[in-house]
Amino acid sequence: MTNRQEKWIRRIGPFIVLLIFLALWQYLASSNKINTFFFSSPVDVLMDFIDLFVTGRIWLHLWVTLIEAISGLMIGLGLGVAAAFLFGNFKILSLLFDPIFVAVYGLPKLALGPLFVIWFGLGLKSKIIMSTLLVFFLVFFNAYAGFRDVNIELVNTLKLMGASRLQIVMKVTLPSCVPWIIASLRSGTGAAVGGAIMGEYLGTNRGLGFLVQTAGANYDITRVMSVILVMCILMLILDTVGKLIEKSVLKWRPPVD
Amino acid sequence: MAIFSHLFLCIYLYMRHLKHIIHCYEAVDGSRLQVLNGVNLDIRKGEFAAIVGGSGCGKTTLLNIMSGILMPSQGEVLLDGQPIRQGKHRIGYISQTETLLPWRKVIDNIVLGPELEGIPKKERYERARQLMESGGLSGFENKYPFELSGGMRKRAIILRALAHDPEIIFMDEPFGPLDVFTREALQQEILRIWSQKKLTIVYITHDITEAVSLADRIIVMSRRPSTVQREVPVRLLRPRDVVEIRYEQEFMELEREIGAMIRGIDPEVRRSDE
């Protein structure tokens, strides 16, 4: 395969695969070979998707989920970096809490859902906390690895130049963690949206998770799928934003390719 | 009276004075590995001193102790009569690894020392620009380190040390990983800067040719636990051309003498030579 061929396949190949899949699905649905009550059809999903936006019904739910996810992402990011920093600087904290953190990290967070609903109610708060929790661990473990990975030679160089402890943190430790934090920010975006939707499944009256939940309860498969399509597009947009941030913040690194 | 004369020496003649440095490392199995055994060394102000020795003789340990990165198990290091302490002295340290901050542009790296001292922004960038001009790096101010060649990064590290106006510069096999021609160019450059700025340099290397062509004095370390085996003055004329000087009779004799000294000290080296 030449380079040029590869480039074209990379660019349009996935769309062709997707189109073939959709065409097959549509054919099976139209010719009644599958039951559209259970499997819907691409055209129905697309029509419902358009309908959601034309009638404007989606906006409230989209907005609510976005607010929850972004709040969770920001709070989780802040707490994760702060905790990693404290753990990295005060050994006693890491000795006391490392095993606890690992245990909680391994726990399926959904299991905590009922507690959050009881403690924080059915409003935004419980969703934001669920989302924060998911993001926190991702960021924490990444940033902690980053703090421990700081190049000791760079630290020594600055020490010899007479840098204070604070200067070393500001000029070496934190900047060298940035790639780790950015990496966790990108995977954290997925976790944040996931956490928000997970929280909505537990009970609420707005949000994308709520839409899927109610549609599912009513056997409205078309609606379930069109809202999932909205989620996919939302993730795609957030991921693109993340990529752009990564590119502009990490331009000091040699390109990987 | 003895104490008095000692102080006198420290202040007027000696930049750096090591007093019977002994250093041990704790090995993984809990046993202690003694690296240095009673090293006693004076570095004079404005001197270019080279420390040579076989591998594993504790050259780098000694340098780390002298620069204050490492505390010796026993003994003390004085700079201008004061015990060495991090943050108190302006020390340049150039090792064989890359120590530019990769997320800073070249010029932002060079201003680092003055920045830590709190020198105003305009002044420190002015100083950095002048240094880059004289060090052959102008035009690269706004590049990131990864965009430069290995030799240029080394130049930038040297300029960063100079921007800090150091009392003493320690170099630990600084040009080790570079190719021969880049090394020669940088050796010549370091000699030029040394004589121009009247610096004090302690240069560690296992390359005898390099040591003889650069230094005023060569300190030969014994094998572990090491002491100073011999101090050999190098009386070759300056300014030196690091390439041409190698073909002079006196140079070759000195090189052979020091080489024999190290081979005699290190039985492992001798064995592999036979």
Side-chain angles (χ1 to χ4, degrees), chain A residues 153 159 161 167 171 252, chain B residues 67 86 97 115-116 146 164:
Chain A
E153 300 244 12
K159 269 189 191 165
M161 291 177 126
Q167 281 176 323
K171 294 181 199 297
W252 54 268
Chain B
S67 57
Q86 271 173 20
T97 51
E115 181 183 322
L116 294 171
F146 83 89
H164 203 205

Side-chain angles (χ1 to χ4, degrees), chain A residues 83-99 144 148 165:
Chain A
F85 176 72
L86 289 175
F87 273 49
N89 273 281
F90 301 100
K91 199 169 178 207
I92 181 75
L93 283 177
S94 71
L95 290 176
L96 291 176
F97 290 102
D98 259 354
Y144 192 24
R148 281 184 300 190
R165 228 181 129 165

Side-chain angles (χ1 to χ4, degrees), chain A residues 77-141:
Chain A
L77 189 72
L79 291 178
V81 172
F85 176 72
L86 289 175
F87 273 49
N89 273 281
F90 301 100
K91 199 169 178 207
I92 181 75
L93 283 177
S94 71
L95 290 176
L96 291 176
F97 290 102
D98 259 354
I100 301 176
F101 269 40
V102 172
V104 177
Y105 176 63
L107 192 76
K109 307 298 177 300
L110 190 58
L112 298 172
L115 290 177
F116 289 168
V117 170
I118 292 165
W119 291 341
F120 308 112
L122 289 170
L124 282 184
K125 218 193 287 172
S126 57
K127 283 78 189 167
I128 291 175
I129 286 169
M130 179 63 92
S131 173
T132 301
L133 190 68
L134 261 71
V135 174
F136 172 81
F137 282 105
L138 266 180
V139 174
F140 171 78
F141 285 112

